[in-house]
Amino acid sequence: MTGSVGSCRSCRSSALDLFLDLGWTPLADRLVQNPDAEEPTFPLQVGFCPDCALVQILETVSPSLLFEEDYPYYSSFSPALLEHARGNVKELITDRHLGPGSLVIEPASNDGYLLANYVDAGVPVLGIDPAEGPAAAANAKGVRTINAFLTRDLAESLRADGLQADVIHANNVLAHVADTNGFVAALEMLLAEDGIIVVEVPYVRELIEHCEFDTIYHEHLCYFSVTSLSHLFGRHGLRILEIRELSIHGGSLRVFLGREGKQGEQVRTMLEAESTDGLLDLGFYQDFQGRVERLREDLVAMLSSLHASGHSIAAYGASAKGSTLLNYTGIGTELLDFVVDRNTHKQGKFMPGKHLPIHGPEHILEERPDFLLLLAWNFAEEIMAQQQAYRELGGRFIVPVPSPAII
Ligand code: DWN
């Protein structure tokens, strides 16, 4: 299923307002094995729904093309993400009194990075993930995982087998599904009567306010506000009970949902603030294209000047956001020598579009570039701490968003 949506992915309104066009780009996570091979590109345009406030891309790329074979993203390569998941699980085991008689289900469970914490605590789990590699890695570490997309049909089949989850985690997946309503309906079907769903999504307010345009790519179909989440979940009998703002992935929301229950004050406060601050109106998004274009000009100017002065520059993090940034700005091998990444599944391949070669982090001290463009800026603290030796040798990092800065 590939093609342009004619209506809102959540409420089906036909009044989508286009406010950002990043051009035609290759698929951010389809790393290149053969740099001479032809790469498909797709339009990357973003619209706003005035009826439910959902920000969304207008193109839907086939999920099997995005996530099935060779999907290179393994969550366990990010220690910060592992710690983030560990804390989340620990709190839920305590708060929800989970034990051997409970069941935790996670769609998009990747390599079992989160569910493994429940397995260690003796709580039964079921992971569901369409990516063959990560699903196999999860099963290999003892995290029971079905290699599939979570659909209404799969939910009905699991429910018919008697599966009802006390906790459902849905981290960084709600934005990724082509059938947004079908996915939420599947979550509701799998939830036990008094169960809770914990959803994590990047917060569109952070994206706009901090110019995080590089987090826009074809895997991410939707960019949520509390308001748009409330419309979407309410349509399926789910209530937002609590919300937490997190720093992970450039600013995310952790949303706690149930069939009923008291809605926390924080939810009402955030809904009111979104209305007051304009997130429900096109005006909040209309200057974003101009801001992104200025960031592109400033970043290209900074790298070009450094390069013209004889400085060598490489990049850190073969991330999906890095693909968007490089392809939108046009920055390639004329300015950057290589990219490094800890994920061994990415090493030896090339970045989509610009075909920058991807090496392991050890390549930094082997080549000692003067600067490293931080394409995984959302893990800046952790990465810079790891690269202390490089920094002690005078190496400097360039953080591209919210505006290019040398640190
Ligand atoms: O939604 C998604 C987000 C959550 O993660 C997925 N669709 C795809 C992915 O997007 P991304 O690739 O932009 O995310 P990351 O997690 O910011 O990518 C970080 C990259 O940096 C990974 O390839 C791992 C790598 N890394 C590293 O090399 N050394 C990460 C850390 C923390 C490190 O120390």
Side-chain angles (χ1 to χ4, degrees), residues 9 59 62 94 103 119 183 211 232 239 275 329 348 351 403:
R9 297 175 186 276
E59 184 75 11
S62 155
T94 305
L103 177 64
V119 173
F183 180 79
C211 209
L232 172 62
R239 226 167 121 71
S275 175
T329 60
M351 292 295 282
S403 59

Side-chain angles (χ1 to χ4, degrees), residues 306-327:
L306 290 172
H307 191 266
S309 310
H311 293 296
S312 55
I313 315 169
Y316 192 118
S319 56
K321 60 173 75 66
S323 292
T324 291
L325 185 137
L326 296 178
N327 285 295

Side-chain angles (χ1 to χ4, degrees), residues 73 176 217 219-220 316 320-321 341-342 346 378 386:
Y73 188 77
H176 298 59
Y217 38 87
E219 287 177 37
H220 290 172
Y316 192 118
K321 60 173 75 66
D341 197 291
R342 281 177 66 173
K346 297 187 175 184
N378 49 316
Q386 285 167 18

Side-chain angles (χ1 to χ4, degrees), residues 152-164 189-190:
R152 288 178 204 252
D153 290 348
L154 177 57
E156 275 170 13
S157 162
L158 292 171
R159 187 170 173 165
D161 291 345
L163 269 68
Q164 290 260 276
M189 276 186 236
L190 287 173

